[in-house]
Each structure stands twice: as C-alpha cells, then as structure tokens.
C-alpha cells in the first residue's frame, strides 16, 4: 500500500490500526540503534533512514536530489516489509542475518535481495533488527556504495 505521508508519525497514523503498535516499536528500535550520521525521514513514500546531503552531498546517483538511502520500512497489503541495503550489498551481513534469524523467529525467513517480509506482526524479531541496524556505520555504507559505483 502507498501512503501520502509527510512524516513518520503521519505514515503510521495512515496505516491500519492493528499495525500501529508494531510500526511504532519497529521505528523505535531502529532509531535507538541507528549509527551516527544517518537520518530518519520519508523516502520513497516509506519511513526511511538515509545519509543526508549534509554528510554525503552527492546524494543517490539515480537522483542526486535524493539523499543516499540505507534502510526503510513499509506497511504493505499483506506484510510489514523492512528494506536494508546493507544486506544486499555486503554478503557477510546477509549471511549473518540469515543464520541469526531462526534463533529469533520460528517462522521461515521470507526475504528478497534487500527486503524482509513479516506477514504476522507478532513474528517481527525486534531485537535482531536492532542488532542489524547497529551492524553498519554510515561511513561503511558510503564506502560500500562508492565502491559499487566505481565498478559500474
């Protein structure tokens, strides 16, 4: 689902009420664990965490007016989705998350390249997401991003 929200609070308020607590908790756990340098806001019509232009003036190469995206989450029709660019860009981080997930959740991991889908709010492994959020600094994300750009 797409929401026309102007702030993270507005976004959560527009979602189904049954998801409000889970989305608030997810936001809180990410904000509490987000490394210095990243910023929270609305990006791609989702609650997002990104490298602001004040830290990385070049912005995102596809649209330099957009700050460099890092992670975000969204309330979709059938799930709450967490998007983490570091999982896609750094194999060690991906492998760590895949191996840790079963220790935190009984359900099978539903994951794409950078998208983790939670069909039931009670299955969201908040502690693991907090740990994932801490695993990559802003500087490391910029380095990985710039290295990937040079390979193109």
């Amino acid at each position: 689902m797409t929401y026309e929200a102007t702030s993270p609070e507005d976004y959560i308020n527009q979602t189904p009420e049954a998801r409000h607590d889970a989305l608030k908790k997810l936001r809180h756990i990410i904000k509490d664990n987000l490394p210095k340098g990243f910023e929270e806001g609305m990006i791609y019509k989702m609650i997002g965490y990104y490298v602001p232009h004040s830290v990385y003036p070049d912005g995102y190469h596809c649209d330099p007016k957009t700050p460099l995206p890092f992670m975000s989450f969204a309330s979709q029709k059938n799930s709450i989705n967490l998007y983490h660019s570091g999982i896609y860009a750094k194999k060690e981080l991906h492998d760590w998350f895949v191996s840790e997930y079963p220790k935190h959740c009984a359900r099978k991991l539903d994951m794409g390249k950078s998208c983790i889908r939670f069909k039931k709010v009670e299955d969201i492994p908040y502690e693991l997401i907090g740990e994932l959020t801490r695993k990559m600094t802003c500087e490391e994300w910029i380095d990985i991003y710039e290295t990937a750009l040079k390979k193109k």
Side-chain angles (χ1 to χ4, degrees):
M1 308 234 4
T2 303
Y3 301 97
E4 298 298 328
T6 57
S7 69
E9 295 84 4
D10 185 28
Y11 182 93
I12 292 170
N13 288 335
Q14 290 184 36
T15 65
E17 192 170 338
R19 292 192 178 172
H20 286 188
D21 288 344
L23 293 170
K24 287 176 185 176
K25 188 171 182 179
L26 185 57
R27 180 180 179 219
H28 179 76
I29 202 81
I30 292 170
K31 284 178 66 174
D32 280 357
N33 289 282
L34 196 64
K36 183 179 172 225
F38 292 111
E39 206 171 84
E40 179 191 59
M42 297 303 299
I43 190 165
Y44 303 114
K45 299 187 179 191
M46 297 181 276
I47 298 174
Y49 303 89
Y50 47 81
V51 183
H53 285 104
S54 61
V55 174
Y56 191 71
D58 291 349
Y60 186 45
H61 73 281
C62 294
D63 178 6
K65 292 181 213 146
T66 301
L68 179 61
F70 176 59
M71 65 186 292
S72 57
F73 65 91
S75 178
Q76 303 293 349
K77 182 177 180 183
N78 297 312
S79 60
I80 291 176
N81 295 353
L82 175 72
Y83 304 89
H84 192 290
S85 298
I87 283 180
Y88 175 73
K90 186 176 179 186
K91 183 179 179 350
E92 299 86 1
L93 187 58
H94 172 274
D95 293 348
W96 169 84
F97 186 83
V98 169
S99 70
E100 286 296 311
Y101 185 85
K103 299 173 190 174
H104 296 265
C105 189
R107 281 196 202 282
K108 181 181 175 211
L109 177 60
D110 183 357
M111 184 172 157
K113 289 183 178 183
S114 71
C115 173
I116 306 155
R117 290 172 285 278
F118 303 103
K119 291 189 175 146
K120 297 194 179 285
V121 295
E122 58 272 10
D123 289 335
I124 299 174
Y126 298 103
E127 185 180 311
L128 180 61
I129 292 169
E131 199 172 337
L132 172 64
T133 303
R134 289 190 305 271
K135 288 269 183 195
M136 186 172 286
T137 66
C138 186
E139 294 77 15
E140 182 181 11
W141 175 233
I142 292 169
D143 288 346
I144 288 170
Y145 174 75
E146 287 184 338
T147 299
L149 276 181
K150 289 176 189 171
K151 290 180 181 178
K152 288 186 175 197

